[in-house]
Amino acid sequence: MIDKKLLSLPGIRKILTLLAGIAFIQGSAIVGQACFLATTIVELWNGEKLIGQLKWVILFFGCFALRHFMVFYRDKILDRFAAKQSTDIRKQLLGKIFRVGPQVIQANGTGNVTTMVLEGVDKVENYLHLILAKTVNLMIVPWIILTVIWFFDWESGVFLLAIFPLIIIFMIVLGYAAQAKADKQYKTYQILSNHFVDSLRGIDTLKFFGLSKRYGKSIFKTSERFRKATMNTLKIAILSTFALDFFTTLSIAVVAVLLGLRLLNGQIQFFPALTVLVLSPEYFLPIRDFSGDYHATLDGKNAMNAIQKILALKEPKVRQIEIPRWQHSSTFKLKKAIFSYDKNHRALDDVSLSAVGYQKIGIIGLSGSGKSTLINLLSGFLQPDEAEISFEGERAASFTQNDWQNQLIYLPQNPYIFKATLRENITFYNPAATKEQISQAIEVVGLKKLVAELPQGLETIIGESARELSGGQSQRIALARAFLDESRKVLLFDEPTAHLDIETEVELKERMLPLMDQHLVFFATHRLHWMQQMDKIIVIDKGKIVESGTLAELKRKNGAFVRLSSSLRRI
Amino acid sequence: MKIFKLFKEDTWIKPFWGKYRKSLFLALVLGFLTFICGGALMFNSGYLISRSAAHPENILLVYVPIVLTRAFGIGRPVFRYLERLTSHNWVLKLTSELRLKLYHVIEKDAVFFKSKYQTGDILGLLAEDIGHLQNLYLRTIFPTVIAWLLYVFIILALGYFSLWFALVMLLLLGTLVFVFPLISMIVNGAKQERQKSLRNELYAGLTDNILGVSDWIFSQRGTEYNELHAAAQSELLKIKYEIQNNDHKRDFAVQLMFGILTIVLVVWTSSIFPGAHGGAANWIAAFVLSVFPLIDAFAPLGQAAQETNTYQDSLSRLNSLPKERDVEQKKDVKLTAPYEFKITRLNFHYADAQQLVLKDLNLTIKNGERLAILGRSGSGKSTLARLLRGDLQCSSGNLTLNGIPPAKLGDDICHYIGVIHQTPYLFHTTISNNLRVGNEAASAKQMWSVLERVGLKDLVSRMPDGLETIVDEAGLRFSGGERHRLALARILLQDVPIVILDEPTVSLDPLTEQDLIEMFVKQLEGKTLIWITHHLQGLSLMDKVIFIEDGRLTMSGSPQELAHTNQHYQRLLEIDHGILH
């Protein structure tokens, strides 16, 4: 009943023991509450004075209060326990995400990862809370009550015991029926339920084609079809709750009638009969509770599995080597690198290249040719399937090396701008930069105009949902980051200007070129004009390096490079 | 409290109370009967046992209670089942209405809606908001109203026996029905507000930093963020803990109230039903035992009331949408070829800003002309496209299509102008439905013919269900280029004389882009083509290029002319062509 994964949580044994103790006290209090209330009623029924019942009434209230106090106490304990567990899980998850990085995020999507860290973990917390309390209660409370009922009247005891498995069987059978029905309708269901959002998202398209006004009718019609489909499923889905309800209430009625008949014959006394009647709803309460928050528990369970899956991801254990700071005489070699995202298709196939000192290496190719994959491999985000890598002759398994990554600056097509002040964004790689350094960086990358325009200058908050910047401005900020950390001598560019308008690109290029001096540069692009400034050009196609050399050499060869450039410039 | 104010000014919940009145009423009555049966079952059972214990001579004397016990035992689950079906059905009917309303509101502003709201997926959010309203009904409004009905019934019923006791219960149950929920809402309301804002901050922060994860890794400052996040998270946990704590205290207090209620009933019944081994005292057990089933009806009210706080955002978001306006009457105007745009001295600024986006623009677009509008992002070129389609109206000056301002044509403009965007939207339905957006009456033959023209015939015929394949399902994704081809196919079916291409190809790689531009030009031969772009790829295929800088038209001419005479254009060409020169 309890997931095996839960039993491996730290401190779970202790909490389960505690819960069992609480459930035991609760069960006993329920019995006490029923007995004392029955006593009071029977005495009054016999014509005794109310004042004489004070003792029983106080005892009743004492038991009643104790029972609910135990619930209160149990919830508090569970709050604390669940909160602690969720904090730990969240910490592990975040640690994992920030260690393994883009791989996890790409595979799951940013939105999903965020939701998992925040809501997913909350759901797990809720799940722990519910499942532990309910399961322990179900395993203890009904049986204490049943024992007492048996003691007072074994016939009712037999009846109540027999009905219990019947309820469970019915619930399971009906649950499966509902599931089967839901599965059968899943596809139509999905389409109908997405139809509305889909129409809203495409509403401008509808408008452009002059359909938007008439389309309202279709929205309503589809929504009504959705309602009918939902109701059809629901009729069956809530049958299992109905079965539970039906059997429990009817059982109480049957117990009452049987008790009544036997009272008539004098086979049982009033007090035990009344006690059994008061106790019978309590007997069913735990199972009703247990099935109550079914969806919350299911959600929690799924969330927990999803989180476990990420936590179980293998982290590449790459032997770290010492790599000296990159300088004009440094070298690295990459030989026969192979990388594939899936089995059938190699994204990089037998790629070899070497870099010496402050070379500028252009990587040119069409979309999907493997440019970005190569850059990601060089940055250490991806682990090659096979490769010989060596820094200054020393072998390394991949580029995931601390000593390498802390020398890198990576400029993607859309550099990420954090929602923070402009200053914090610029000094991301070097939070200790001085005022002079910052203003120099701003000057160099041409951000002066922006700083002057911003209401609080450098201290203005930029980024998502604050002040949004244009693509060119984002690139300039990323450049300033690079400029401010002079110790990083390796620059990786992945199509930094592909989405910019031609004039912005030109302005940016003027700023970028001086920064590339005295750096090892890898520049992946399909914009040909950058090739003039490169010392070496690598032409990549379908994951293979098809040609390499200086611009002059490649032009002379009249091969892949020339073909590529003329196909880009047919007109 | 904000939530009360929201309710007062609401136009999204209240107007619908009158809708489908019968099923609403039925749902409430069924809910009421469910609890009545639950209470009556225990009431009746208590009486039955007491009566039997008194050993009546005739078994027929307990016959009625026996039958009733069974009836109530069956009645409760049946009513509950029916109540759930009726209430869900009502809420889903309401949902259809709300969706239609939301759709109409957004439709008025369709072209600009997305750009007006900065929040990532405002449309998805609004759709979810309607889902939240469903919950508001099912989890708060229905249970609360049913409890009120029950409250009234109980007080009236007790009033029949004793006026003063009815008054006592009016107060005692009143605390459960009104005081606890209200306190719960107010005490936890502020905390929930704080919780929500903390949570939103965390969300934003986390999304932000997950998007920027590569920078954290390269800077090797990852643990720094984790600590920062943990600190914020622990503050959130603290608030959550406080809220939970209040909830537990409230639930405990509510239960104690029921304990007191039971005792009060014992005292009252013992005084009006004096016992003598049965007799009137048979009613004691009946009254006292019926308290317990009522716990189910009244105990969840606090939680239910408190939940309204969580719907606050949804309510205020929906209510802050523009109100539905009346459709303006449009004249029946028919334009005939040749189609010519005339723009004279056009100025434009948005209603909420003074700054001119377009300044003193003069331009004529002739029938069948291929015009490229070149400019940086933010220079005003997309605004011009919207003015041409009549989605915006000029602040001063004139813009006419065959002498008529395009806005005058209303939705009829779609018979004359088609638009292709940077990210053409494909609906999550079959390919044929997506094509029929262009022309609802299109035959399969027509569709295949346009697919052939845009070079997708082979691809589509290879798909499992051909034209009836659902877009984007089970790994079937169209690439950027293919999406544009489909969008073009739609336009071809629409068969309009003027087509606006609003930066349709900038996100594609140059080879795909080149192919697409060639295809656009070839397939749209003879139509007026207005192409907005920010780089030079394919410009030489155009008849005329105009350049917009800071809202002004700064150069204009055929690409060949400009390449010879205009220095700025020459410079751009030089950079773009770069190394081949």
Side-chain angles (χ1 to χ4, degrees):
Chain A
M1 216 178 294
I2 290 191
D3 209 328
K4 282 208 184 74
K5 278 185 200 115
L6 292 184
L7 293 177
S8 59
L9 289 174
I12 189 82
R13 307 247 157 225
K14 201 177 135 208
I15 203 91
L16 283 178
T17 321
L18 204 57
L19 286 177
I22 291 172
F24 187 78
I25 298 177
Q26 222 183 312
S28 312
I30 291 171
V31 170
Q33 163 200 328
C35 289
F36 296 128
L37 185 64
T39 311
T40 316
I41 293 174
V42 170
E43 297 274 296
L44 288 173
W45 182 79
N46 277 330
E48 301 290 328
K49 286 261 167 357
L50 178 67
I51 200 80
Q53 309 312 316
L54 192 62
K55 175 175 63 181
W56 303 120
V57 170
I58 290 175
L59 279 170
F60 157 75
F61 192 75
C63 285
F64 188 88
L66 176 65
R67 167 195 185 178
H68 290 292
F69 180 74
M70 286 333 280
V71 175
F72 174 72
Y73 178 62
R74 179 193 73 194
D75 284 343
K76 289 198 73 152
I77 292 177
L78 279 173
D79 280 352
R80 227 171 296 145
F81 175 74
K84 194 179 164 309
Q85 296 301 332
S86 70
T87 312
D88 287 350
I89 292 176
R90 195 172 270 129
K91 212 163 151 189
Q92 288 172 27
L93 193 58
L94 269 180
K96 189 86 177 186
I97 290 168
F98 277 73
R99 275 196 312 276
V100 182
Q103 231 182 312
V104 184
I105 296 165
Q106 250 168 30
N108 294 281
T110 316
N112 288 342
V113 172
T114 327
T115 319
M116 193 183 289
V117 173
L118 294 169
E119 273 174 34
V121 178
D122 275 356
K123 278 181 188 160
V124 171
E125 187 178 338
N126 195 21
Y127 170 59
L128 283 177
H129 203 293
L130 291 173
I131 195 83
L132 292 178
K134 289 183 173 186
T135 315
V136 173
N137 251 16
L138 183 59
M139 286 186 330
I140 294 178
V141 176
W143 316 115
I144 295 178
I145 294 171
L146 190 66
T147 316
V148 175
I149 291 178
W150 204 290
F151 168 77
F152 282 119
D153 176 31
W154 67 269
E155 288 171 52
S156 301
V158 170
F159 174 73
L160 289 175
L161 180 63
I163 205 83
F164 205 84
L166 204 66
I167 292 176
I168 291 180
I169 289 169
F170 259 90
M171 279 184 68
I172 291 174
V173 169
L174 289 170
Y176 275 123
Q179 195 56 49
K181 173 109 180 161
D183 287 347
K184 220 167 81 189
Q185 291 204 323
Y186 183 74
K187 209 169 146 188
T188 7
Y189 209 73
Q190 233 17 41
I191 292 177
L192 289 177
S193 76
N194 286 333
H195 176 262
F196 181 56
V197 187
D198 192 39
S199 321
L200 286 188
R201 292 204 176 118
I203 201 166
D204 44 358
T205 306
L206 292 172
K207 185 95 176 173
F208 287 142
F209 286 97
L211 294 175
S212 57
K213 288 220 169 62
R214 272 178 293 148
Y215 206 68
K217 280 198 200 88
S218 158
I219 296 267
F220 191 77
K221 260 201 307 218
T222 314
S223 187
E224 283 293 281
R225 266 173 61 205
F226 178 66
R227 174 176 68 82
K228 281 174 195 139
T230 312
M231 290 312 295
N232 276 332
T233 320
L234 208 62
K235 270 177 204 158
I236 301 200
I238 58 176
L239 262 187
S240 69
T241 327
F242 171 74
L244 175 71
D245 237 15
F246 184 77
F247 281 114
T248 51
T249 343
L250 198 63
S251 301
I252 296 166
V254 169
V255 167
V257 170
L258 288 179
L259 286 171
L261 292 177
R262 276 180 299 134
L263 274 167
L264 280 176
N265 302 335
Q267 287 165 333
I268 190 172
Q269 295 301 303
F270 186 31
F271 169 71
L274 192 59
T275 313
V276 169
L277 179 66
V278 175
L279 279 177
S280 13
E282 304 285 0
Y283 170 70
F284 291 115
L285 199 58
I287 179 101
R288 289 172 64 165
D289 268 350
F290 188 81
S291 63
D293 290 300
Y294 179 68
H295 281 288
T297 36
L298 200 66
D299 275 2
K301 209 170 164 180
N302 292 340
M304 186 136 167
N305 287 336
I307 289 170
Q308 299 278 3
K309 219 162 120 193
I310 289 196
L311 287 182
L313 270 186
K314 272 203 212 113
E315 281 178 54
K317 281 259 182 325
V318 178
R319 190 179 60 90
Q320 298 291 315
I321 61 168
E322 233 169 85
I323 302 170
R325 304 305 293 178
W326 195 265
Q327 41 178 334
H328 66 275
S329 61
S330 306
T331 58
F332 83 73
K333 284 199 170 70
L334 169 69
K335 269 192 205 157
K336 294 183 190 155
I338 293 175
F339 177 84
S340 38
Y341 291 101
D342 56 62
K343 280 183 192 131
N344 319 323
H345 173 71
R346 284 184 177 175
L348 288 180
D349 193 0
D350 195 19
V351 167
S352 302
L353 60 89
S354 61
V356 184
Y358 299 136
Q359 264 184 329
K360 293 196 227 356
I361 300 172
I363 302 170
I364 194 155
L366 294 172
S367 304
S369 58
K371 294 191 303 277
S372 296
T373 312
L374 182 56
I375 292 282
N376 280 331
L377 192 78
L378 292 173
S379 70
F381 279 154
L382 296 177
Q383 310 297 318
D385 303 338
E386 280 170 44
E388 290 171 28
I389 301 166
S390 61
F391 290 91
E392 314 284 348
E394 194 178 346
R395 294 288 291 268
S398 84
F399 288 93
T400 316
Q401 304 286 343
N402 285 338
D403 280 1
W404 173 248
Q405 288 189 321
N406 66 21
Q407 307 194 41
L408 292 181
I409 294 275
Y410 167 67
L411 272 96
Q413 184 169 352
N414 297 303
Y416 195 71
I417 301 302
F418 291 95
K419 192 187 172 195
T421 63
L422 178 59
R423 177 203 302 282
E424 284 165 326
N425 264 298
I426 290 180
T427 59
F428 192 85
Y429 284 88
N430 180 11
T434 65
K435 225 173 162 182
E436 287 74 37
Q437 285 173 314
I438 296 175
S439 60
Q440 202 193 346
I442 286 173
E443 175 82 47
V444 170
V445 300
L447 274 175
K448 257 187 139 174
K449 193 167 157 241
L450 177 72
V451 176
E453 272 172 20
L454 291 176
Q456 280 104 39
L458 263 179
E459 306 306 326
T460 314
I461 303 229
I462 53 173
E464 176 88 23
S465 78
R467 197 196 148 97
E468 305 245 9
L469 301 176
S470 70
Q473 286 166 333
S474 306
Q475 285 295 356
R476 282 171 208 268
I477 289 173
L479 282 178
R481 283 180 192 161
F483 178 80
L484 269 182
D485 196 347
E486 259 303 294
S487 66
R488 292 172 184 260
K489 289 292 187 194
V490 183
L491 298 175
L492 299 175
F493 291 94
D494 190 2
E495 306 252 21
T497 56
H499 61 305
L500 299 179
D501 60 85
I502 176 90
E503 285 180 276
T504 309
E505 184 175 7
V506 172
E507 285 169 9
L508 207 61
K509 190 175 179 185
E510 285 162 9
R511 305 286 179 171
M512 274 159 90
L513 289 175
L515 283 176
M516 290 188 196
D517 268 350
Q518 300 294 306
H519 283 82
L520 171 64
V521 177
F522 287 94
F523 200 108
T525 185
H526 53 234
R527 301 271 232 205
L528 293 166
H529 61 84
W530 286 96
M531 294 305 119
Q532 274 174 325
Q533 279 77 26
M534 297 293 134
D535 301 324
K536 190 161 99 180
I537 297 168
I538 292 172
V539 184
I540 192 163
D541 186 28
K542 294 183 187 127
K544 283 190 199 288
I545 293 183
V546 288
E547 211 172 43
S548 69
T550 64
L551 181 59
E553 281 168 11
L554 294 183
K555 275 189 178 172
R556 254 201 320 275
K557 267 191 194 163
N558 200 10
F561 178 74
V562 174
R563 273 201 302 282
L564 182 71
S565 33
S566 58
S567 74
L568 295 180
R569 288 273 156 264
R570 261 178 294 176
I571 303 156
Chain B
M1 295 254 327
K2 202 174 147 206
I3 186 86
F4 295 122
K5 206 174 150 236
L6 268 175
F7 260 124
K8 214 174 131 196
E9 288 159 9
D10 166 77
T11 54
W12 281 81
I13 291 191
K14 287 192 293 189
F16 292 94
W17 280 340
K19 287 253 172 183
Y20 310 113
R21 218 172 293 152
K22 270 189 205 153
S23 46
L24 174 64
F25 183 69
L26 187 62
L28 292 174
V29 168
L30 285 169
F32 171 72
L33 287 178
T34 305
F35 288 112
I36 289 292
C37 281
L41 172 64
M42 287 314 276
F43 185 90
N44 200 49
S45 304
Y47 178 79
L48 167 68
I49 287 189
S50 307
R51 186 79 180 88
S52 307
H55 301 295
E57 303 80 49
N58 194 339
I59 192 168
L60 285 178
L61 284 175
V62 291
Y63 185 70
V64 174
I66 285 179
V67 172
L68 280 179
T69 304
R70 288 185 186 143
F72 291 133
I74 294 169
R76 197 193 103 94
V78 171
F79 285 135
R80 176 140 182 256
Y81 180 76
L82 293 176
E83 185 262 335
R84 287 180 71 183
L85 283 185
T86 332
S87 60
H88 275 90
N89 193 27
W90 185 82
V91 163
L92 287 171
K93 271 188 194 167
L94 181 81
T95 305
S96 302
E97 300 273 344
L98 284 173
R99 285 182 167 172
L100 188 63
K101 173 168 170 156
L102 179 59
Y103 181 84
H104 280 317
V105 167
I106 294 177
E107 195 270 332
K108 296 274 174 296
D109 215 6
V111 178
F112 301 105
F113 198 83
K114 277 186 247 177
S115 51
K116 237 194 235 168
Y117 292 83
Q118 298 232 323
T119 347
D121 181 18
I122 177 72
L123 295 170
L125 267 181
L126 286 169
E128 270 175 35
D129 284 339
I130 288 186
H132 291 160
L133 290 192
Q134 293 182 1
N135 280 340
L136 177 64
Y137 273 103
L138 290 174
R139 300 174 56 155
T140 302
I141 297 183
F142 282 148
T144 305
V145 174
I146 289 170
W148 286 349
L149 290 176
L150 213 54
Y151 175 61
V152 172
F153 173 80
I154 292 170
I155 300 304
L156 290 179
L158 288 175
Y160 170 77
F161 290 98
S162 142
L163 204 57
W164 73 263
F165 187 66
L167 280 174
V168 171
M169 291 300 275
L170 185 78
L171 285 177
L172 279 177
L173 271 182
T175 40
L176 286 172
V177 174
F178 301 114
V179 180
F180 276 105
L182 208 61
I183 291 181
S184 204
M185 254 172 107
I186 293 167
V187 171
N188 275 346
K191 288 193 196 299
Q192 280 174 317
E193 195 93 331
R194 176 94 187 105
Q195 186 186 25
K196 198 169 56 202
S197 73
L198 272 175
R199 178 178 284 274
N200 289 346
E201 269 170 46
L202 269 182
Y203 242 104
L206 192 60
T207 313
D208 198 34
N209 289 292
I210 281 184
L211 284 169
V213 72
S214 49
D215 287 304
W216 283 109
I217 291 181
F218 285 133
S219 67
Q220 301 186 343
R221 289 169 62 195
T223 43
E224 207 175 300
Y225 175 70
N226 283 1
E227 276 157 30
L228 217 71
H229 183 85
Q233 187 80 48
S234 74
E235 196 185 339
L236 183 64
L237 267 182
K238 213 180 110 214
I239 296 238
K240 187 175 169 190
Y241 190 72
E242 284 170 11
I243 294 177
Q244 283 175 333
N245 206 7
N246 285 343
D247 287 350
H248 299 329
K249 277 188 204 153
R250 179 202 59 215
D251 290 346
F252 186 45
V254 166
Q255 292 294 345
L256 289 186
M257 275 299 292
F258 279 106
I260 292 169
L261 220 59
T262 316
I263 295 172
V264 170
L265 266 171
V266 168
V267 172
W268 174 67
T269 46
S270 71
S271 72
I272 74 159
F273 304 120
H277 204 75
N282 290 339
W283 296 107
I284 299 180
F287 276 95
V288 174
L289 293 194
S290 60
V291 174
F292 297 101
L294 293 180
I295 298 181
D296 287 347
F298 294 113
L301 289 186
Q303 193 62 38
Q306 192 174 305
E307 263 184 37
T308 47
N309 287 326
T310 55
Y311 303 120
Q312 204 164 289
D313 283 346
S314 299
L315 268 181
S316 61
R317 200 164 21 230
L318 288 172
N319 274 305
S320 64
L321 288 173
K323 303 276 171 281
E324 281 178 90
R325 280 166 297 172
D326 291 329
V327 189
E328 15 182 317
Q329 288 294 319
K330 58 172 194 295
K331 286 178 213 115
D332 243 353
V333 207
K334 270 258 179 299
L335 302 185
T336 46
Y339 302 98
E340 189 174 87
F341 278 110
K342 257 204 165 59
I343 303 174
T344 40
R345 317 213 54 175
L346 178 143
N347 285 313
F348 178 80
H349 63 83
Y350 284 96
D352 51 359
Q354 279 306 305
Q355 210 191 348
L356 285 178
V357 183
L358 290 171
K359 296 165 205 159
D360 199 25
L361 199 73
N362 292 295
L363 181 70
T364 305
I365 306 173
K366 293 201 200 74
N367 193 47
E369 189 172 48
R370 290 187 293 228
L371 171 75
I373 305 176
L374 191 65
R376 297 180 174 222
S377 21
S379 60
K381 40 188 205 313
S382 289
T383 308
L384 180 56
R386 287 171 172 176
L387 284 161
L388 289 175
R389 221 192 80 93
D391 293 321
L392 291 173
Q393 279 168 278
C394 41
S395 311
S396 69
N398 276 311
L399 187 158
T400 55
L401 173 61
N402 285 10
I404 296 171
K408 282 262 161 63
L409 294 168
D411 275 356
D412 282 346
I413 193 74
C414 72
H415 300 313
Y416 309 102
I417 302 180
V419 181
I420 297 183
H421 266 298
Q422 191 174 338
T423 46
Y425 191 81
L426 297 184
F427 292 90
H428 188 87
T429 169
T430 59
I431 294 173
S432 67
N433 280 342
N434 265 296
L435 289 175
R436 281 204 194 96
V437 169
N439 176 3
E440 286 168 290
S443 67
K445 204 174 146 206
Q446 281 172 304
M447 287 193 264
W448 281 114
S449 123
V450 291
L451 283 175
E452 183 167 17
R453 284 171 69 187
V454 299
L456 283 178
K457 191 181 174 190
D458 287 347
L459 183 75
V460 175
S461 54
R462 262 184 280 125
M463 285 176 179
D465 300 321
L467 279 175
E468 301 309 312
T469 313
I470 287 174
V471 172
D472 277 353
E473 193 172 75
L476 173 77
R477 292 202 160 267
F478 287 103
S479 70
E482 286 157 359
R483 283 173 177 265
H484 282 100
R485 282 165 198 265
L486 269 183
L488 177 61
R490 254 188 332 217
I491 294 274
L492 290 175
L493 283 174
Q494 189 187 14
D495 197 22
V496 282
I498 304 162
V499 177
I500 298 177
L501 305 172
D502 191 356
E503 305 203 333
T505 55
V506 291
S507 57
L508 305 172
D509 78 66
L511 205 59
T512 317
E513 182 174 16
Q514 189 71 42
D515 285 346
L516 268 173
I517 295 168
E518 282 171 25
M519 182 184 343
F520 282 150
V521 171
K522 185 169 162 227
Q523 297 300 335
L524 298 172
E525 182 79 59
K527 299 182 194 294
T528 310
L529 192 64
I530 300 165
W531 180 33
I532 297 166
T533 182
H534 68 217
H535 55 211
L536 302 178
Q537 194 94 10
L539 276 199
S540 53
L541 293 172
M542 297 290 123
D543 299 327
K544 184 171 168 188
V545 177
I546 62 168
F547 200 92
I548 294 185
E549 197 165 12
D550 285 334
R552 278 181 202 283
L553 202 151
T554 52
M555 59 185 186
S556 157
S558 77
Q560 292 75 19
E561 254 168 56
L562 289 175
H564 281 109
T565 56
N566 192 298
Q567 276 190 341
H568 188 63
Y569 192 75
Q570 282 166 354
R571 201 172 82 90
L572 293 180
L573 268 182
E574 198 177 313
I575 301 158
D576 199 42
H577 286 213
I579 51 174
L580 287 191
H581 279 254

